[in-house]
Amino acid sequence: MSDNEHRQLARDSLFVMAELRVDGVDGEQRIRVRNLSSGGLMAEGGGHVLRGQLVWVKVRNIGWVEGSVAWVQDNRFGIAFREEIDPKVARAPVVAGEGTPRFVKPALSYVPLGELRKI
């Protein structure tokens, strides 16, 4: 049986940055999430992680998710989540809010030059 036949959860390929906390290590590390499913993710980058290590990943639009390192190969690793998530929520557009930086907020609507008023 191939590895693909062992997998039971559909995975979405994507490329987003995330934060990683590793049990026993101070601070957070930036990682690149390559694919995501309800039960886990594949990432690359960050510091050195070990199979079985307890970790937390800040998944976009979801927040911090607890899991453990399932496998490590070179600079890539898999994380199995403790509880399932909805991966579609992570793919949803980021909503502009009070704390959202201006460069990620939707553009202001276009106003023709003649319709501007002097302040």
Side-chain angles (χ1 to χ4, degrees):
M1 232 187 264
S2 72
D3 285 338
N4 287 338
E5 291 171 318
H6 287 286
R7 298 192 187 272
Q8 298 175 351
L9 301 173
R11 294 180 315 277
D12 289 332
S13 292
L14 72 158
F15 180 81
V16 295
M17 299 302 289
E19 298 294 324
L20 175 72
R21 292 181 185 159
V22 179
D23 189 37
V25 178
D26 290 336
E28 298 170 358
Q29 307 165 37
R30 298 277 291 167
I31 59 171
R32 291 176 293 282
V33 176
R34 293 296 188 173
N35 66 46
L36 180 67
S37 73
S38 60
L41 61 80
M42 180 182 74
E44 65 181 15
H48 184 69
V49 294
L50 301 172
R51 187 171 185 262
Q53 214 166 15
L54 182 62
V55 294
W56 294 265
V57 181
K58 189 173 183 182
V59 179
R60 184 177 105 167
N61 292 336
I62 294 176
W64 291 100
V65 180
E66 183 178 344
S68 60
V69 178
W71 57 268
V72 178
Q73 185 177 28
D74 300 323
N75 71 332
R76 292 186 178 200
F77 54 96
I79 296 175
F81 297 146
R82 184 174 185 192
E83 295 182 15
E84 289 190 358
I85 64 162
D86 183 352
K88 292 179 183 170
V89 173
R91 285 188 159 280
V94 176
V95 178
E98 188 175 313
T100 305
R102 180 171 167 76
F103 64 87
V104 295
K105 290 183 181 178
L108 299 173
S109 61
Y110 174 75
V111 179
L113 190 57
E115 295 181 22
L116 292 176
R117 61 186 174 102
K118 199 174 201 178
I119 300 178

